[in-house]
């Protein structure tokens, strides 16, 4: 039987929110089978649980934000996509996440620090079947027309494969790869995707900070680009780090489905909003998906039966 996974022990981290700039403490706790990934705002007078589910998403403008009941006015947790990506990459099904602020810590701007944190606690197999959302027919969502068009698609596939393409008219980005393919059966998430950092342009910083955003951003937790070049002294971690970070985000956004997807995902210039729209379109069509488990490991797609560190 392909089993669910949680942590062996409790682990903690401290950081700042990239938008709020506020200090935040994070405590990751093991959770029983079928719990899912549940965030708990422990800084409130009465702690509030917020499950990472499609219906909990209340804002996708700059990040994936979830709230109690999906209510924009309810307690929320912002910028969960890097953490959710790490959980997806390591196959974590069940986890309780205690958090002391309304935003996840940005740490180094990628998923690598979260991967390290999860692996340091140890990953434990649980006596329950791992559940997947198997896509049965093609679902596509679009935004805009002509040169401004963006789209994302899910298609049936026995595994989990992603293709992402970006288009940035910028010298520093144009010099790198703007299309990436990743298959969990062939590639290693920790090695190939997890270290890709978020990025931003100096020309946008003042406007964003005037709106109370990116107050915690710096070259310690983001790739910073001026009109022509990358400003970080160490350069890029991957030759195609820009598009790999967009794919990293997509992995996290789509893990808000509540279970790993069995599908092929393709996106052109997509982002958090389009990814959430895609999941909502999938779940709105009962004929487009089903829950699946694998009693025999030999029946599971490649990449899912191995222990998490192999990914």
């Amino acid at each position: 039987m392909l089993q669910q996974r949680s942590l062996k022990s409790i682990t903690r981290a401290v950081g700042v929110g990239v938008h709020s700039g506020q200090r935040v403490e994070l405590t990751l706790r093991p959770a029983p089978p079928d719990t899912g990934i549940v965030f708990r705002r422990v800084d409130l007078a009465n702690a509030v649980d917020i499950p990472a589910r499609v219906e909990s998403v209340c804002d996708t403008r700059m990040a994936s934000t979830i709230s109690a009941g999906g209510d924009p006015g309810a307690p929320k947790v912002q910028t969960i996509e890097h953490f959710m990506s790490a959980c997806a990459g390591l196959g974590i099904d069940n986890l309780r996440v205690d958090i002391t602020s309304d935003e996840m810590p940005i740490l180094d701007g990628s998923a690598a620090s979260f991967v390290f944190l999860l692996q340091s606690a140890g990953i434990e197999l649980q006596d329950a079947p791992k559940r997947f959302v198997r896509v049965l027919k093609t679902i596509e969502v679009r935004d805009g027309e002509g040169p401004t068009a963006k789209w994302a698609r899910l298609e049936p596939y026995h595994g989990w494969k992603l293709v992402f393409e970006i288009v940035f008219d910028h010298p520093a980005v144009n010099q790198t790869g703007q299309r990436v393919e990743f298959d969990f059966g062939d590639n290693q998430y920790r090695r190939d995707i997890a270290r890709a950092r978020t990025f931003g342009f100096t020309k946008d910083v003042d406007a964003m900070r005037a709106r109370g955003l990116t107050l915690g951003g710096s070259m310690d937790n983001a790739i910073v680009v001026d009109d022509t070049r990358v400003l970080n002294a160490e350069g890029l971690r991957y030759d195609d780090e820009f598009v790999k970070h967009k794919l990293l985000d997509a992995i996290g956004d789509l893990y808000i489905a509540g279970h790993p997807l069995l599908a092929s995902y393709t996106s052109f210039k997509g982002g958090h909003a389009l990814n959430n729209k895609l999941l909502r379109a999938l779940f709105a069509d009962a004929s487009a998906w089903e829950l699946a488990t694998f009693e025999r490991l030999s029946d599971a797609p490649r990449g899912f039966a191995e222990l998490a560190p192999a990914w």
Side-chain angles (χ1 to χ4, degrees):
M1 177 179 69
L2 191 57
Q3 297 167 273
Q4 294 180 33
R5 295 172 180 172
S6 186
L7 299 184
K8 291 181 179 178
S9 62
I10 296 171
T11 187
R12 296 178 173 86
V14 177
V16 298
V18 67
H19 292 304
S20 68
Q22 295 180 353
R23 183 180 188 273
V24 54
E25 298 178 16
L26 201 64
T27 303
L28 308 183
R29 303 180 184 276
D34 299 321
T35 299
I37 297 174
V38 180
F39 294 81
R40 170 170 281 197
R41 286 285 305 278
V42 297
D43 56 313
L44 304 176
N46 295 306
V48 174
D49 285 351
I50 309 172
R53 296 286 186 272
V54 176
E55 60 271 18
S56 299
V57 176
C58 65
D59 196 342
T60 55
R61 284 172 293 180
M62 293 295 298
S64 285
T65 298
I66 57 175
S67 67
D71 178 359
K76 61 176 64 75
V77 180
Q78 305 176 65
T79 323
I80 68 168
E81 60 272 9
H82 299 173
F83 177 75
M84 293 298 294
S85 186
C87 290
L90 297 180
I92 304 295
D93 299 282
N94 305 301
L95 198 61
R96 295 197 180 276
V97 184
D98 292 352
I99 186 169
T100 63
S101 180
D102 68 353
E103 186 178 13
M104 289 291 285
I106 189 64
L107 301 180
D108 77 337
S110 75
S113 295
F114 291 123
V115 167
F116 175 81
L117 190 64
L118 292 163
Q119 289 188 318
S120 70
I123 296 171
E124 183 172 63
L125 294 175
Q126 299 179 297
D127 190 19
K130 190 178 187 75
R131 291 183 171 83
F132 296 82
V133 173
R134 177 187 281 135
V135 172
L136 300 176
K137 67 181 187 182
T138 299
I139 297 290
E140 181 175 304
V141 294
R142 304 184 72 89
D143 182 18
E145 298 294 337
T148 65
K150 307 174 183 179
W151 55 268
R153 180 191 304 134
L154 288 170
E155 299 172 273
Y157 179 69
H158 187 61
W160 184 212
K161 177 172 65 175
L162 304 99
V163 178
F164 207 106
E165 184 173 354
I166 59 174
V167 178
F168 280 91
D169 185 16
H170 188 284
V173 183
N174 292 345
Q175 293 173 19
T176 74
Q178 298 200 49
R179 184 180 186 275
V180 64
E181 298 186 23
F182 181 83
D183 191 319
F184 275 91
D186 298 326
N187 308 109
Q188 292 188 28
Y189 173 86
R190 183 178 60 178
R191 180 193 67 196
D192 300 328
I193 301 297
R195 297 177 63 247
R197 294 161 294 175
T198 192
F199 57 93
F201 301 92
T202 54
K203 63 183 178 62
D204 300 328
V205 169
D206 289 343
M208 293 180 70
R209 289 187 171 172
R211 295 162 51 202
L213 300 171
T214 67
L215 300 179
S218 73
M219 282 192 279
D220 291 330
N221 53 41
I223 304 168
V224 181
V225 184
D226 69 7
D227 291 340
T228 61
R229 62 193 177 93
V230 172
L231 298 181
N232 303 64
E234 72 277 17
L236 298 178
R237 294 177 174 177
Y238 303 107
D239 291 341
D240 51 357
E241 189 169 0
F242 295 102
V243 68
K244 278 190 172 178
H245 183 78
K246 297 291 286 185
L247 187 139
L248 181 156
D249 278 348
I251 291 171
D253 289 342
L254 296 170
Y255 204 45
I256 298 173
H259 303 287
L261 295 177
L262 295 179
S264 173
Y265 163 88
T266 309
S267 181
F268 178 71
K269 295 166 52 177
H272 307 298
L274 212 57
N275 290 333
N276 188 250
K277 185 178 180 181
L278 182 64
L279 283 183
R280 289 178 184 267
L282 173 69
F283 288 123
D285 185 346
S287 68
W289 64 280
E290 66 181 4
L291 288 178
T293 60
F294 296 96
E295 287 299 317
R296 296 187 304 177
L297 293 182
S298 58
D299 292 336
R302 289 180 301 118
F304 284 101
E306 292 83 359
L307 288 175
W311 289 19

